[in-house]
Amino acid sequence: MANMQLRYLAQARSGDKGNTVNVALFAPNDDLYHLFVEQVTCERVKAHFAGLVEGEVTRYLLPNVRAINFICREALNGGGSASIRMDNLGKCFSSNLLRMEVKVPDNSWW
Amino acid sequence: MRSIRIGAAEGFYGDSIFPAVETAQRGNVQYLCFDCLAELTMAILQKDRQKDPTKGYTRDITAAMHALLPYVKEKGIRILTNAGGINPVGAQQEVIRVARQLGIKGLKVAVVTGDDLLDRLPELRQQGITLDHMETGQKIDKVLDRIQFANAYLGVQPIVEALRQGADIVVTGRTTDSAQFLAPLVHEFGWREDDWDRMAHGILMGHLMECSGQATGGNFSGNWQAVADLDRIGFPVAEVRENGEFLITKTDGTGGLVSVDTVKEQMLYEIHDPSAYVTPDVVLDMTDVRLEDTGPDQVRVTGARGKRRPDHLKVVMGYLDGFVGQAIAGYSWPDALAKAEAADRIVRKQIDRMGLKYDEIRTDYMGYNSLHGPTVNLPKEELNEVYLRVAVRTRTKEEAAKLGRLFPPLALNGPPTMSGFTGMMQPRELLGMWSCLIPRDLIESRVQVSISEVD
């Protein structure tokens, strides 16, 4: 097994709603989708965003487009017009998630 | 089977108008639809209205109408926009003014009102509407006297009514982002309001279109470097059939990219539960949606399912939530970060000494952690430059302004090589957002459509 950053394997986009940010992660094929579902858990995402996300993380699965949608609450320092952060709309949460590493089988090429 | 073509015109207040002009000229569309409003936009427009009661709509409507009105008469393209923001009647008057200036006669400009609930809050409270926060359940009492605006998200009905009455342009205030896109379908195809699956396709189409270039290769996280000609990106065009199925495409010869990969990113943008995307018109379930590449820059979308629309409408209010004061200054290699950190320590000691009262203080090192915050690690190589940014959240404007005054002296009295200081920033007012649910009858009974004809 080798560790690999999601940036080499996946697409992602994030957006705001109030003080909540959603981060959608997309896999390019079914094998990677199942691997993401197993490894990119709410617990890991919450730990990954420690210091940014104060509330709960939940996730929704969309196998039809090979996507996982993470909902991170209390994530935007009060929300777009109340935040004193630079990334007040959470646009960069998606690229941030792509830094996370997953374990991929050695004999595979992605 | 009949189909109609709809073009996306603007994805937010401040978006480029050129792609919409290109769509009007060569996109073969019958409708151009705008979505100008985000939560943040309502806050901006509220501040505008406070300074000048005739404002409060998106000011770029003037330039947009100058660019597009000529095509309304020439090609029969109808324009739907929620540019009205906090003052839809003001926006309607501005459209009429531009039409007169251009000498366009016989133009019917409709306005939808009734989403603005600010003056109705006491009455609603008396009727027993609690206005509790829909997510946290909190009581509104502690922010009630600080509310600056309160708008319900309206659905498609009044826009359809305006089209039925022959409007060429429909201006609204706060509608759902996708309502402008759904309205032409309901009007043209006569979809029943409880034909949930078709309505769901219309909402999904609107959702894919509402952020303009985000569906056509903008903000694309895949192979973004391979997306051609973002300098002349084409905005999405939808070709929708009577049964709801649709294609997402764009005008030939424009830049950007429409593919399953660009479209799927927009599909989940700002979505929470994908099996229940709640709008006033239908609850959209996208868990069986199928996206297929059916040609160059063409994606076919099928499989949206709809569930019964909710009995309540979402209302978003903005309340005064203090001020932010901030200042920014750069430091160069060598030891750029160490210098910026030393400057931060100086500023913080001085803040304490002067007794500046703040609720929150934060330091960002731009070029290192200002966007990703505490989740980043230092790179192995030393940073060539870094910008120190200090921000405070305060109760009053005066307190926020104190911070900026501490920065100029750092140039001579702090660590070496401070540069790129751009002056003291004006404190900015912060607005908190409060969302709640209100029974739709109480709102819809007051919604009005009125049409003026330019003579």
Side-chain angles (χ1 to χ4, degrees):
Chain A
M1 298 290 260
N3 285 325
M4 212 163 169
Q5 271 185 333
L6 286 173
R7 69 174 287 195
Y8 301 108
L9 306 170
Q11 288 174 235
R13 183 175 291 177
S14 52
D16 73 306
K17 199 163 278 181
N19 199 12
T20 301
V21 71
N22 91 295
V23 189
L25 179 72
F26 299 89
N29 58 47
D30 286 340
D31 288 347
L32 278 175
Y33 181 63
H34 296 308
L35 190 145
F36 292 174
V37 171
E38 250 172 49
Q39 296 187 34
V40 189
T41 58
C42 291
E43 293 70 29
R44 274 195 81 192
V45 170
K46 168 101 178 154
H48 184 83
F49 287 118
L52 286 179
V53 174
E54 312 272 329
E56 275 175 48
V57 175
T58 49
R59 73 174 195 175
Y60 298 94
L61 304 182
L62 277 105
N64 55 322
V65 285
R66 299 191 201 101
I68 309 177
N69 194 32
F70 293 95
I71 310 304
C72 310
R73 297 184 192 280
E74 295 168 62
L76 294 174
N77 193 235
S81 58
S83 171
I84 66 169
R85 282 191 201 154
M86 300 287 285
D87 184 23
N88 61 328
L89 296 171
K91 302 276 185 191
C92 299
F93 276 69
S94 56
S95 58
N96 196 337
L97 181 64
L98 294 179
R99 204 201 320 265
M100 184 184 282
E101 289 185 343
V102 287
K103 286 190 195 317
V104 294
D106 285 329
N107 57 358
S108 60
W109 62 274
W110 305 105
Chain B
M1 197 184 295
R2 247 180 99 209
S3 64
I4 61 168
R5 279 169 69 92
I6 297 174
E10 246 183 46
F12 72 104
Y13 177 17
D15 206 349
S16 168
I17 195 65
F18 300 114
V21 173
E22 203 142 20
T23 302
Q25 287 171 338
R26 301 190 292 109
N28 188 28
V29 296
Q30 291 93 56
Y31 292 86
L32 274 172
C33 305
F34 289 63
D35 172 34
C36 305
L37 302 180
E39 285 177 359
L40 189 61
T41 316
M42 295 301 270
I44 292 166
L45 295 178
Q46 147 58 20
K47 287 178 193 174
D48 270 7
R49 181 174 67 171
Q50 241 172 7
K51 284 181 210 139
D52 177 352
T54 68
K55 296 293 189 285
Y57 54 86
T58 65
R59 293 175 188 226
D60 61 353
I61 192 174
T62 308
M65 292 301 147
H66 265 286
L68 294 175
L69 285 187
Y71 300 101
V72 172
K73 278 293 164 193
E74 187 189 318
K75 298 200 165 192
I77 297 172
R78 302 169 102 176
I79 295 178
L80 314 177
T81 178
N82 58 3
I86 307 252
N87 181 8
V89 174
Q92 180 203 28
Q93 294 310 309
E94 183 62 7
V95 175
I96 291 170
R97 196 185 65 76
V98 174
R100 287 203 176 113
Q101 211 175 8
L102 294 172
I104 299 172
K105 292 192 178 11
L107 197 73
K108 288 186 173 176
V109 186
V111 63
V112 173
T113 54
D115 61 303
D116 189 342
L117 303 180
L118 188 59
D119 294 337
R120 292 187 58 198
L121 291 180
E123 165 215 326
L124 289 165
R125 294 264 288 172
Q126 269 173 10
Q127 289 188 54
I129 307 298
T130 58
L131 310 175
D132 293 348
H133 196 288
M134 62 186 272
E135 281 179 7
T136 64
Q138 283 170 300
K139 299 282 171 211
I140 199 169
D141 306 72
K142 69 178 173 119
V143 304
L144 192 57
D145 58 346
R146 289 185 275 148
I147 302 277
Q148 300 296 295
F149 66 86
N151 294 78
Y153 282 68
L154 300 183
V156 75
Q157 285 166 341
I159 312 177
V160 173
E161 176 57 24
L163 292 175
R164 201 188 60 75
Q165 293 182 29
D168 298 299
I169 320 283
V170 185
V171 179
T172 70
R174 181 76 266 189
T175 54
T176 53
D177 301 346
S178 43
Q180 284 73 235
F181 297 86
L182 174 62
L185 306 178
V186 175
H187 171 64
E188 295 273 345
F189 296 140
W191 287 351
R192 288 197 332 265
E193 66 176 32
D194 64 349
D195 194 343
W196 305 125
D197 286 347
R198 284 184 206 205
M199 297 292 271
H201 277 91
I203 287 291
L204 177 60
M205 181 274 291
H207 175 67
L208 293 176
M209 305 269 283
E210 75 191 36
C211 294
S212 66
Q214 275 202 159
T216 51
N219 193 19
F220 177 49
S221 81
N223 189 6
W224 63 270
Q225 291 168 100
V227 178
D229 302 326
L230 284 175
D231 59 293
R232 53 188 182 97
I233 190 169
F235 282 175
V237 169
E239 187 169 320
V240 190
R241 303 173 78 183
E242 205 159 355
N243 68 0
E245 289 179 23
F246 60 93
L247 301 174
I248 295 286
T249 180
K250 66 185 184 69
T251 303
D252 287 342
T254 58
L257 173 71
V258 180
S259 70
V260 164
D261 284 346
T262 62
V263 170
K264 71 186 182 189
E265 279 192 30
Q266 175 58 27
M267 186 164 118
L268 286 184
Y269 180 66
E270 292 181 347
I271 295 291
H272 285 191
D273 179 354
S275 73
Y277 178 50
V278 182
T279 79
D281 300 306
V282 63
V283 177
L284 163 65
D285 178 351
M286 49 177 88
T287 54
D288 278 336
V289 166
R290 221 174 133 201
L291 306 177
E292 300 158 84
D293 284 305
T294 48
D297 293 314
Q298 190 185 81
V299 170
R300 181 165 176 259
V301 186
T302 52
R305 279 181 297 157
K307 291 178 259 191
R308 192 190 150 73
R309 68 185 198 184
D311 296 329
H312 292 73
L313 295 185
K314 180 177 169 181
V315 172
V316 172
M317 300 182 246
Y319 60 92
L320 295 177
D321 198 18
F323 294 82
V324 58
Q326 60 173 325
I328 294 171
Y331 287 90
S332 80
W333 183 95
D335 303 321
L337 184 58
K339 290 170 186 167
E341 285 171 336
D344 179 54
R345 286 193 294 273
I346 292 168
V347 168
R348 284 181 180 244
K349 278 184 187 162
Q350 292 178 336
I351 284 172
D352 287 346
R353 208 169 293 143
M354 72 165 35
L356 192 166
K357 292 189 208 60
Y358 57 82
D359 294 338
E360 184 185 354
I361 183 168
R362 62 177 293 126
T363 299
D364 295 297
Y365 298 102
M366 296 165 65
Y368 162 40
N369 68 1
S370 70
L371 296 178
H372 286 171
T375 69
V376 297
N377 297 313
L378 256 188
K380 291 191 183 69
E381 278 192 38
E382 201 184 336
L383 297 167
N384 274 311
E385 58 186 54
V386 65
Y387 276 74
L388 167 68
R389 177 210 186 225
V390 179
V392 287
R393 184 194 298 277
T394 61
R395 289 293 104 202
T396 69
K397 196 170 186 173
E398 292 70 36
E399 288 299 300
K402 289 178 185 171
L403 173 75
R405 290 182 219 135
L406 297 176
F407 267 60
L410 285 173
L412 304 188
N413 308 330
T417 74
M418 170 177 148
S419 193
F421 176 66
T422 54
M424 290 184 283
M425 289 161 150
Q426 285 294 320
R428 184 167 52 81
E429 200 165 51
L430 297 169
L431 279 177
M433 292 292 147
W434 191 274
S435 313
C436 63
L437 297 173
I438 294 187
R440 63 191 305 149
D441 313 347
L442 292 177
I443 295 164
E444 287 175 344
S445 56
R446 305 282 190 93
V447 170
Q448 283 192 331
V449 178
S450 56
I451 295 190
S452 296
E453 189 162 342
V454 184
D455 42 27

Coordinates of all heavy atoms in Angstrom, one line a residue, chain B residues 220-285:
Chain B
F220 N -12.8 25.1 -11.8 CA -12.9 23.7 -12.1 C -11.7 23.0 -11.4 O -10.5 23.5 -11.6 CB -12.8 23.4 -13.6 CG -12.8 21.9 -14.0 CD1 -13.6 21.0 -13.4 CD2 -11.9 21.5 -14.9 CE1 -13.6 19.7 -13.8 CE2 -11.8 20.2 -15.3 CZ -12.7 19.2 -14.7
S221 N -11.9 22.0 -10.6 CA -10.8 21.4 -9.8 C -10.1 20.3 -10.5 O -9.1 19.8 -10.0 CB -11.3 21.0 -8.4 OG -11.9 19.7 -8.5
G222 N -10.7 19.8 -11.6 CA -10.1 18.7 -12.4 C -8.8 19.2 -13.1 O -8.0 20.0 -12.5
N223 N -8.7 18.9 -14.3 CA -7.5 19.3 -15.1 C -7.8 20.8 -15.6 O -8.0 21.0 -16.8 CB -7.3 18.4 -16.3 CG -6.0 18.7 -17.0 OD1 -5.2 19.5 -16.5 ND2 -5.7 18.0 -18.1
W224 N -7.8 21.7 -14.7 CA -8.2 23.1 -15.0 C -7.2 23.7 -16.0 O -7.6 24.6 -16.7 CB -8.3 23.9 -13.7 CG -7.0 24.1 -13.0 CD1 -6.5 23.3 -12.0 CD2 -6.0 25.1 -13.1 NE1 -5.3 23.7 -11.5 CE2 -5.0 24.9 -12.2 CE3 -5.9 26.2 -14.0 CZ2 -3.8 25.7 -12.1 CZ3 -4.8 27.0 -13.9 CH2 -3.7 26.7 -13.0
Q225 N -6.0 23.3 -16.0 CA -5.0 23.9 -16.9 C -5.3 23.6 -18.4 O -4.8 24.2 -19.3 CB -3.6 23.5 -16.5 CG -3.2 24.1 -15.2 CD -2.0 23.6 -14.6 OE1 -0.9 24.2 -14.7 NE2 -2.1 22.4 -14.0
A226 N -6.1 22.5 -18.6 CA -6.4 22.1 -19.9 C -7.7 22.8 -20.4 O -8.1 22.5 -21.6 CB -6.6 20.6 -20.0
V227 N -8.4 23.5 -19.6 CA -9.6 24.2 -20.0 C -9.3 25.4 -20.9 O -8.5 26.2 -20.5 CB -10.5 24.7 -18.8 CG1 -11.7 25.4 -19.3 CG2 -10.9 23.5 -18.0
A228 N -9.8 25.4 -22.1 CA -9.4 26.3 -23.1 C -10.0 27.7 -22.9 O -11.2 27.8 -22.6 CB -9.7 25.8 -24.5
D229 N -9.2 28.7 -23.1 CA -9.7 30.1 -23.3 C -10.7 30.6 -22.2 O -11.8 31.0 -22.5 CB -10.4 30.2 -24.7 CG -9.5 29.9 -25.8 OD1 -8.2 30.1 -25.7 OD2 -9.9 29.3 -26.8
L230 N -10.2 30.5 -21.0 CA -11.1 31.0 -19.9 C -11.3 32.5 -20.0 O -12.2 33.1 -19.4 CB -10.5 30.7 -18.5 CG -10.7 29.2 -18.1 CD1 -9.9 28.9 -16.8 CD2 -12.1 28.9 -18.0
D231 N -10.4 33.2 -20.8 CA -10.6 34.6 -21.0 C -11.8 35.0 -21.8 O -12.3 36.1 -21.7 CB -9.3 35.2 -21.7 CG -9.2 34.6 -23.1 OD1 -8.9 33.4 -23.1 OD2 -9.4 35.2 -24.1
R232 N -12.4 34.1 -22.5 CA -13.6 34.3 -23.2 C -14.6 33.1 -23.0 O -15.2 32.6 -23.9 CB -13.4 34.6 -24.7 CG -12.6 33.5 -25.4 CD -12.2 34.0 -26.8 NE -11.5 32.9 -27.5 CZ -12.1 32.0 -28.3 NH1 -13.4 32.0 -28.5 NH2 -11.4 31.0 -28.8
I233 N -14.7 32.8 -21.7 CA -15.5 31.6 -21.3 C -16.9 31.8 -21.8 O -17.5 32.9 -21.7 CB -15.4 31.4 -19.8 CG1 -16.1 30.1 -19.4 CG2 -16.1 32.6 -19.0 CD1 -15.8 29.7 -17.9
G234 N -17.6 30.8 -22.2 CA -19.0 30.8 -22.6 C -19.8 30.4 -21.4 O -19.4 29.4 -20.7
F235 N -20.9 31.0 -21.1 CA -21.7 30.6 -20.0 C -22.7 29.5 -20.5 O -23.0 29.4 -21.6 CB -22.5 31.8 -19.5 CG -21.7 32.7 -18.6 CD1 -22.3 33.9 -18.1 CD2 -20.4 32.4 -18.2 CE1 -21.5 34.8 -17.3 CE2 -19.7 33.3 -17.4 CZ -20.2 34.5 -17.0
P236 N -23.2 28.7 -19.5 CA -24.0 27.6 -19.9 C -25.3 27.9 -20.6 O -25.9 29.0 -20.3 CB -24.3 26.8 -18.6 CG -24.0 27.8 -17.5 CD -23.0 28.7 -18.1
V237 N -25.7 27.1 -21.5 CA -27.0 27.2 -22.2 C -27.6 25.8 -22.0 O -27.0 24.8 -22.1 CB -26.8 27.4 -23.7 CG1 -28.1 27.3 -24.5 CG2 -26.2 28.8 -24.0
A238 N -28.9 25.8 -21.6 CA -29.6 24.6 -21.4 C -30.7 24.5 -22.5 O -31.4 25.4 -22.9 CB -30.3 24.6 -20.1
E239 N -30.8 23.3 -23.1 CA -31.8 23.0 -24.0 C -32.7 21.9 -23.3 O -32.3 20.8 -23.1 CB -31.2 22.4 -25.3 CG -32.2 22.2 -26.4 CD -31.6 21.9 -27.7 OE1 -30.5 22.5 -28.1 OE2 -32.1 21.0 -28.4
V240 N -33.9 22.4 -23.0 CA -34.8 21.6 -22.2 C -36.0 21.0 -23.0 O -36.6 21.8 -23.7 CB -35.3 22.4 -21.0 CG1 -36.0 21.5 -20.0 CG2 -34.2 23.1 -20.3
R241 N -36.3 19.8 -22.9 CA -37.4 19.2 -23.6 C -38.6 19.2 -22.7 O -38.5 19.3 -21.4 CB -37.1 17.7 -24.0 CG -35.8 17.7 -24.9 CD -35.4 16.3 -25.2 NE -36.3 15.7 -26.2 CZ -36.2 14.4 -26.6 NH1 -35.3 13.6 -26.0 NH2 -36.9 13.9 -27.5
E242 N -39.8 19.0 -23.3 CA -41.0 19.1 -22.6 C -41.1 18.1 -21.4 O -41.8 18.3 -20.4 CB -42.2 18.9 -23.5 CG -43.4 19.5 -23.1 CD -44.4 19.8 -24.3 OE1 -44.0 19.5 -25.5 OE2 -45.5 20.2 -24.0
N243 N -40.5 17.0 -21.6 CA -40.5 16.0 -20.5 C -39.5 16.2 -19.4 O -39.4 15.4 -18.4 CB -40.3 14.6 -21.1 CG -38.9 14.3 -21.6 OD1 -38.0 15.2 -21.5 ND2 -38.6 13.2 -22.1
G244 N -38.7 17.3 -19.5 CA -37.8 17.7 -18.4 C -36.4 17.4 -18.7 O -35.5 18.1 -18.2
E245 N -36.1 16.4 -19.5 CA -34.7 16.0 -19.8 C -34.0 17.3 -20.4 O -34.7 18.0 -21.2 CB -34.6 15.0 -20.9 CG -35.0 13.6 -20.4 CD -34.9 12.6 -21.6 OE1 -34.2 12.9 -22.6 OE2 -35.6 11.6 -21.5
F246 N -32.8 17.4 -20.2 CA -32.1 18.6 -20.8 C -30.6 18.3 -21.1 O -30.0 17.4 -20.6 CB -32.3 19.8 -19.9 CG -31.7 19.7 -18.5 CD1 -30.4 20.1 -18.3 CD2 -32.4 19.2 -17.5 CE1 -29.9 20.1 -17.0 CE2 -31.9 19.1 -16.2 CZ -30.6 19.5 -16.0
L247 N -30.1 19.2 -22.0 CA -28.7 19.2 -22.3 C -28.1 20.5 -21.7 O -28.8 21.5 -21.7 CB -28.5 19.3 -23.8 CG -29.0 18.2 -24.7 CD1 -28.8 18.5 -26.2 CD2 -28.3 16.8 -24.4
I248 N -26.9 20.4 -21.2 CA -26.1 21.5 -20.8 C -25.1 21.7 -21.9 O -24.3 20.8 -22.2 CB -25.5 21.4 -19.4 CG1 -26.6 21.3 -18.3 CG2 -24.5 22.6 -19.2 CD1 -27.3 22.6 -18.0
T249 N -25.0 22.9 -22.5 CA -24.0 23.1 -23.5 C -23.6 24.6 -23.4 O -23.8 25.3 -22.4 CB -24.6 22.8 -24.9 OG1 -23.6 23.0 -25.9 CG2 -25.8 23.6 -25.2
K250 N -22.9 25.1 -24.4 CA -22.6 26.5 -24.4 C -22.5 27.0 -25.9 O -22.5 26.1 -26.8 CB -21.3 26.8 -23.7 CG -20.0 26.2 -24.3 CD -18.8 26.4 -23.4 CE -17.5 25.8 -24.0 NZ -17.1 26.6 -25.2
T251 N -22.3 28.2 -26.1 CA -22.3 28.8 -27.5 C -21.0 28.4 -28.2 O -19.9 28.5 -27.7 CB -22.5 30.3 -27.5 OG1 -23.7 30.6 -26.8 CG2 -22.6 30.9 -28.9
D252 N -21.2 27.9 -29.5 CA -20.0 27.6 -30.3 C -19.0 28.7 -30.3 O -19.4 29.9 -30.5 CB -20.4 27.2 -31.7 CG -21.2 25.9 -31.7 OD1 -21.0 25.1 -30.7 OD2 -21.9 25.6 -32.7
G253 N -17.7 28.4 -30.3 CA -16.7 29.4 -30.4 C -16.3 30.1 -29.2 O -15.4 30.9 -29.2
T254 N -17.0 29.8 -28.1 CA -16.6 30.4 -26.8 C -15.6 29.5 -26.1 O -15.4 28.4 -26.4 CB -17.8 30.6 -25.9 OG1 -18.4 29.3 -25.7 CG2 -18.8 31.6 -26.5
G255 N -14.9 30.1 -25.1 CA -14.0 29.3 -24.3 C -14.7 28.5 -23.2 O -15.9 28.5 -23.1
G256 N -13.8 27.8 -22.4 CA -14.4 27.0 -21.3 C -14.6 25.5 -21.8 O -14.2 25.1 -22.9
L257 N -15.3 24.8 -20.9 CA -15.5 23.4 -21.2 C -16.8 22.9 -20.5 O -17.1 23.3 -19.4 CB -14.3 22.6 -20.6 CG -14.4 21.1 -20.6 CD1 -14.3 20.5 -22.0 CD2 -13.3 20.5 -19.7
V258 N -17.6 22.2 -21.3 CA -18.8 21.5 -20.7 C -18.5 20.0 -20.8 O -18.4 19.5 -21.9 CB -20.1 21.9 -21.4 CG1 -21.3 21.1 -20.7 CG2 -20.4 23.4 -21.3
S259 N -18.4 19.4 -19.6 CA -18.2 17.9 -19.6 C -18.9 17.4 -18.4 O -19.3 18.1 -17.5 CB -16.7 17.6 -19.6 OG -16.2 17.9 -18.4
V260 N -19.0 16.1 -18.3 CA -19.5 15.5 -17.0 C -18.7 16.0 -15.8 O -19.3 16.3 -14.8 CB -19.5 13.9 -17.2 CG1 -19.7 13.3 -15.8 CG2 -20.6 13.5 -18.1
D261 N -17.4 16.1 -16.0 CA -16.6 16.5 -14.9 C -16.8 17.9 -14.4 O -16.7 18.2 -13.3 CB -15.1 16.3 -15.2 CG -14.7 14.8 -15.2 OD1 -15.5 14.0 -14.6 OD2 -13.6 14.5 -15.7
T262 N -17.1 18.8 -15.4 CA -17.3 20.2 -15.0 C -18.7 20.3 -14.4 O -19.0 21.1 -13.4 CB -17.1 21.2 -16.1 OG1 -18.1 21.0 -17.2 CG2 -15.7 21.2 -16.7
V263 N -19.7 19.6 -15.0 CA -21.1 19.7 -14.6 C -21.3 19.1 -13.2 O -22.0 19.6 -12.4 CB -22.0 19.1 -15.6 CG1 -23.4 19.0 -15.1 CG2 -22.0 19.9 -16.9
K264 N -20.6 18.0 -12.9 CA -20.9 17.3 -11.7 C -20.4 18.1 -10.5 O -21.0 18.1 -9.4 CB -20.3 15.9 -11.6 CG -18.8 15.8 -11.6 CD -18.4 14.3 -11.7 CE -16.9 14.2 -11.6 NZ -16.4 12.8 -11.9
E265 N -19.3 18.9 -10.7 CA -18.9 19.8 -9.6 C -19.9 20.8 -9.2 O -20.2 21.1 -8.1 CB -17.5 20.5 -9.9 CG -16.3 19.6 -9.8 CD -15.0 20.4 -9.9 OE1 -15.0 21.5 -9.5 OE2 -14.0 19.7 -10.3
Q266 N -20.5 21.4 -10.3 CA -21.6 22.4 -10.0 C -22.8 21.7 -9.4 O -23.5 22.3 -8.6 CB -21.9 23.1 -11.3 CG -23.1 24.1 -11.1 CD -22.9 25.2 -10.1 OE1 -21.7 25.5 -9.8 NE2 -23.9 25.7 -9.5
M267 N -23.1 20.5 -9.8 CA -24.3 19.8 -9.3 C -24.3 19.8 -7.7 O -25.3 20.0 -7.1 CB -24.3 18.4 -9.8 CG -25.6 17.7 -9.5 SD -25.9 16.2 -10.5 CE -25.8 14.9 -9.3
L268 N -23.1 19.6 -7.1 CA -23.1 19.5 -5.6 C -22.8 20.8 -5.0 O -22.7 20.9 -3.7 CB -22.2 18.4 -5.2 CG -22.8 17.0 -5.4 CD1 -21.9 15.9 -4.8 CD2 -24.2 16.9 -4.8
Y269 N -22.5 21.8 -5.7 CA -22.1 23.1 -5.2 C -23.2 23.7 -4.2 O -24.3 23.9 -4.6 CB -21.8 24.1 -6.3 CG -21.3 25.5 -5.8 CD1 -20.1 25.6 -5.1 CD2 -22.1 26.6 -6.0 CE1 -19.7 26.8 -4.7 CE2 -21.7 27.8 -5.6 CZ -20.5 27.9 -4.9 OH -20.1 29.2 -4.4
E270 N -22.8 23.9 -3.0 CA -23.7 24.5 -2.0 C -24.9 23.6 -1.7 O -26.0 24.1 -1.2 CB -24.2 25.9 -2.3 CG -23.0 26.9 -2.3 CD -23.4 28.3 -2.7 OE1 -24.5 28.5 -3.2 OE2 -22.6 29.2 -2.4
I271 N -24.8 22.3 -1.9 CA -25.9 21.4 -1.6 C -25.6 20.7 -0.3 O -24.4 20.4 0.0 CB -25.9 20.3 -2.8 CG1 -26.3 20.9 -4.1 CG2 -26.8 19.1 -2.4 CD1 -27.7 21.4 -4.2
H272 N -26.6 20.4 0.5 CA -26.4 19.7 1.7 C -26.9 18.2 1.4 O -26.1 17.5 0.9 CB -27.2 20.3 2.9 CG -26.5 21.5 3.4 ND1 -26.8 22.2 4.5 CD2 -25.4 22.2 2.8 CE1 -26.0 23.2 4.7 NE2 -25.1 23.2 3.7
D273 N -28.1 17.8 1.8 CA -28.5 16.5 1.5 C -29.0 16.4 0.0 O -29.9 16.9 -0.4 CB -29.7 16.2 2.4 CG -30.3 14.7 2.2 OD1 -29.8 14.1 1.2 OD2 -31.2 14.3 3.0
P274 N -28.2 15.6 -0.8 CA -28.5 15.5 -2.2 C -29.8 14.8 -2.5 O -30.3 14.9 -3.6 CB -27.3 14.7 -2.8 CG -26.3 14.6 -1.7 CD -27.0 14.8 -0.4
S275 N -30.4 14.1 -1.5 CA -31.7 13.5 -1.8 C -32.8 14.4 -1.4 O -34.0 14.1 -1.6 CB -31.8 12.2 -1.0 OG -32.0 12.5 0.4
A276 N -32.5 15.6 -0.9 CA -33.6 16.5 -0.5 C -33.1 18.0 -0.5 O -32.8 18.6 0.5 CB -34.0 16.2 0.9
Y277 N -32.9 18.5 -1.7 CA -32.6 19.9 -1.9 C -33.9 20.6 -2.0 O -34.7 20.6 -2.9 CB -31.8 20.0 -3.3 CG -31.4 21.5 -3.6 CD1 -30.8 22.3 -2.7 CD2 -31.7 22.0 -4.9 CE1 -30.4 23.6 -3.0 CE2 -31.3 23.3 -5.2 CZ -30.7 24.1 -4.2 OH -30.3 25.3 -4.6
V278 N -34.1 21.4 -0.9 CA -35.4 22.0 -0.7 C -35.5 23.3 -1.4 O -34.7 24.2 -1.1 CB -35.7 22.1 0.9 CG1 -37.1 22.7 1.1 CG2 -35.6 20.8 1.6
T279 N -36.5 23.5 -2.2 CA -36.8 24.8 -2.8 C -38.3 25.0 -2.6 O -39.0 24.1 -2.2 CB -36.5 24.8 -4.3 OG1 -37.6 24.1 -5.0 CG2 -35.2 24.1 -4.7
P280 N -38.8 26.2 -2.8 CA -40.2 26.5 -2.6 C -41.1 25.7 -3.6 O -42.3 25.6 -3.4 CB -40.3 28.0 -2.9 CG -39.0 28.6 -2.8 CD -38.0 27.5 -3.2
D281 N -40.5 25.3 -4.7 CA -41.3 24.7 -5.8 C -41.3 23.2 -5.8 O -42.3 22.5 -6.3 CB -40.8 25.2 -7.1 CG -40.9 26.7 -7.2 OD1 -42.0 27.2 -7.0 OD2 -39.9 27.3 -7.5
V282 N -40.3 22.6 -5.3 CA -40.2 21.1 -5.3 C -39.0 20.7 -4.4 O -38.0 21.5 -4.2 CB -40.0 20.6 -6.7 CG1 -38.7 21.1 -7.3 CG2 -40.0 19.1 -6.8
V283 N -39.0 19.5 -3.8 CA -37.8 19.0 -3.2 C -37.1 18.1 -4.1 O -37.6 17.1 -4.5 CB -38.2 18.3 -1.9 CG1 -36.9 17.7 -1.2 CG2 -38.9 19.2 -0.9
L284 N -35.9 18.5 -4.5 CA -35.1 17.8 -5.6 C -34.3 16.6 -5.0 O -33.6 16.8 -4.0 CB -34.2 18.8 -6.3 CG -33.1 18.2 -7.1 CD1 -33.6 17.4 -8.3 CD2 -32.2 19.3 -7.7
D285 N -34.4 15.5 -5.6 CA -33.6 14.3 -5.2 C -32.7 14.0 -6.4 O -33.1 13.7 -7.5 CB -34.5 13.1 -4.9 CG -33.8 11.9 -4.6 OD1 -32.5 11.9 -4.7 OD2 -34.4 10.9 -4.2

